[in-house]
Amino acid sequence: MIVNRKPLTFWERLYLPAIAGGLKVTLRHAFGSLFGGKTVTMEYPEQKWTVPADYRGAPYLVKDQDGNTKCVSCQLCEFVCPPKAIRITPPGPAGRIADRPNAEKMPAEFEINMLRCIYCGLCQEVCPEEAIFLLKDYSLTGQSRNEMIYNKEKLLALGGTHGGIQKWKHKLEEAKAQENFPVKI
Amino acid sequence: MDWNFIIFSVVKVAVVIGAVLTMVAYAVLAERKISAWIQDRVGPNRCAPPFARYIPFVGTFLTRIGFFQPMADGLKAFLKEDFMPAGVRKVYFWLAPALSIIPAMLVVAVIPFGSQIGAQKMVIADLNVGILYTFGIVSLGVYGIVLAGYAANSKYPFLGGIRSSAQMISYEISMGMSVIPVLLIAGNLNLSRIIGWQTDHGWLILYAPVSFVIFLVSSFAETNRLPFDLPEAETELVGGYHTEYSSMKFALFFLAEYSNMIASSGMMVTLFFGGWTLPFWGLDHPAASLAMGLVQVLVFLAKMLLFMALFIWVRWMFPRFRYDQLMDLGWRRFVPLALANILVTAVILWIKS
């Protein structure tokens, strides 16, 4: 197909109508944003964007619906973490026993260095206990590097409660049922 | 020696320079705000000193319109490190910012910004060759830019300097020739008398519209504003002739650009739009009372601010001209048009007489 290029008319060559058109467009936008409130700017700290449903924010520890820590200090997340942001101190052989029934151990300390974390989500994927989740927080600030290393207490407080299957509760019930089953009769 | 004259001149110079510098600071704010509105943004609306929110009624509003932004900008310009790259030509490097701001300020001296307050004429220098003086001084402005480009010893400022010398010299010709019909009609070179002529006969825009168009476009080119901002084409030349400058030296170039805008707005108002006069409420004759004198100064300022707004508005609407298009427009369109304009005006005046 051949499209003929039309020669410019006198008006078009004069350039002035195009200028008037341009001034009209810019004026419309100026009035729109001045009086119509049609600005596209999001004034950030006051207005915040809606985070997408599958957004990967900062990783936090969660509790179950009974308020127990879910983490059992298996250290899989620490091993899988690509930037080595997670550091878990296990309780050790003589450590404190877990704060909920039927769990062998709990982390004595659980630290995530938020300056190292890359929000990849591997810790969440690898966790057998569903104890660590990437939540929606994206704007973590602090005044020092030390402040950006979040400890267990802080992570649990930020993580909140995450309901769902309580794996160890069922195991406990099963175990109890087994104890009761044939032998006791 | 007339001490009265000296004292009043010094006062007028101080007031005018203060006013021009303030207007420059707020012109930068206006530039940022208007560009924001045109591009559907909000512009600077955060900067505020701690006491701003204690100002009754208007405190928040002032912050929202960015009233305190120019102060922060100025403070920043003063406090930044004044960095001088190795290999610059030091004397010229120091000289260039001064050479670009001084002409910009000097032009303001001959523009009548009011009739009179008391017995004082509201013009710093009521020269009989006002327009010639203006063109003489304006053409000095190019040296600052060329020197800045040369002194920086770096290719982008150098290209900016070359472009600006060609551009400003080309457009000075059409600018100068566009004013000649105005002079023919008004029959005077003194800017105050040109205003006086306009009170009797009506604004000169009615007599010389072609002159006005050429003058307007040429003054865009002379002040290096878009669509003719080739000397400082950010997308092509990093920052243009002032790429290597920082701190207050850079701020001086900035001030020069905006004072040039103010000066050429003032010239357009004076030459084509009756200066400080308005054709009603008796505003078109030299003021008898103090209040009337002040109102006339305000009228002049208002007209000038309209032109400043036009300068800014046009900047955020136009793409930049290509270099050859710029030269084509200057030499092959405006110079012949201005010459024809002179000829036609002269013939009409000859027939009338």
Side-chain angles (χ1 to χ4, degrees), chain A residues 15 18-20 22-24 26-27 29-30 32-34 38-41 43-46, chain B residues 34 36-43 45-46 64 213 310 313-314 316-319 321 333:
Chain A
Y15 203 62
I19 294 175
L23 288 174
K24 212 172 76 186
T26 45
L27 197 64
H29 277 269
S33 47
L34 245 183
K38 284 190 202 157
T39 49
V40 293
T41 310
E43 294 184 41
Y44 168 63
E46 292 91 14
Chain B
I34 291 175
W37 291 330
I38 285 174
Q39 297 168 355
D40 293 345
R41 296 183 285 114
V42 287
N45 64 351
R46 292 301 163 90
R64 290 292 296 178
V213 171
L310 180 72
W313 180 13
V314 165
W316 298 103
M317 180 210 117
F318 257 132
F321 270 67
R333 304 284 147 84

Side-chain angles (χ1 to χ4, degrees), chain A:
Chain A
M1 196 172 93
I2 297 168
V3 178
N4 288 321
R5 288 194 179 137
K6 282 184 205 149
L8 296 176
T9 61
F10 176 73
W11 263 135
E12 285 164 342
R13 274 190 296 138
L14 204 57
Y15 203 62
L16 291 173
I19 294 175
L23 288 174
K24 212 172 76 186
V25 169
T26 45
L27 197 64
R28 195 177 67 228
H29 277 269
F31 273 98
S33 47
L34 245 183
F35 304 112
K38 284 190 202 157
T39 49
V40 293
T41 310
M42 188 186 70
E43 294 184 41
Y44 168 63
E46 292 91 14
Q47 303 171 344
K48 291 216 163 86
W49 56 308
T50 328
V51 180
D54 49 356
Y55 185 80
R56 294 204 308 256
Y60 294 143
L61 291 178
V62 295
K63 292 177 180 163
D64 66 7
Q65 49 266 63
D66 297 336
N68 299 317
T69 310
K70 287 179 113 180
C71 177
V72 296
S73 190
C74 69
Q75 291 175 288
L76 276 177
C77 53
E78 182 176 351
F79 292 130
V80 82
C81 182
K84 303 201 188 307
I86 302 178
R87 185 177 188 88
I88 299 170
T89 316
R96 203 164 60 87
I97 44 163
D99 65 350
R100 70 181 153 87
N102 214 24
E104 275 180 35
K105 53 177 184 172
M106 302 243 130
E109 187 49 275
F110 192 110
E111 288 172 337
I112 302 181
N113 187 342
M114 291 300 178
L115 294 173
R116 294 195 73 103
C117 178
I118 56 170
Y119 308 122
C120 63
L122 287 186
C123 49
Q124 178 184 340
E125 273 192 47
V126 83
C127 184
E129 302 292 326
E130 297 187 340
I132 187 165
F133 280 91
L134 268 70
L135 298 182
K136 309 287 179 211
D137 288 15
Y138 50 86
S139 170
L140 307 180
T141 50
Q143 308 226 322
S144 65
R145 285 173 181 275
N146 269 335
E147 206 177 303
M148 294 308 288
I149 301 174
Y150 286 19
N151 61 14
K152 182 178 154 190
E153 210 177 312
K154 193 168 181 186
L155 289 168
L156 281 169
L158 288 166
T161 305
H162 184 267
I165 304 162
Q166 288 173 302
K167 188 171 156 190
W168 292 105
K169 196 174 174 184
H170 295 298
K171 293 273 183 204
L172 180 67
E173 278 161 13
E174 276 171 30
K176 276 182 181 162
Q178 248 175 9
E179 274 168 27
N180 290 338
F181 176 53
V183 190
K184 277 240 170 148
I185 303 166

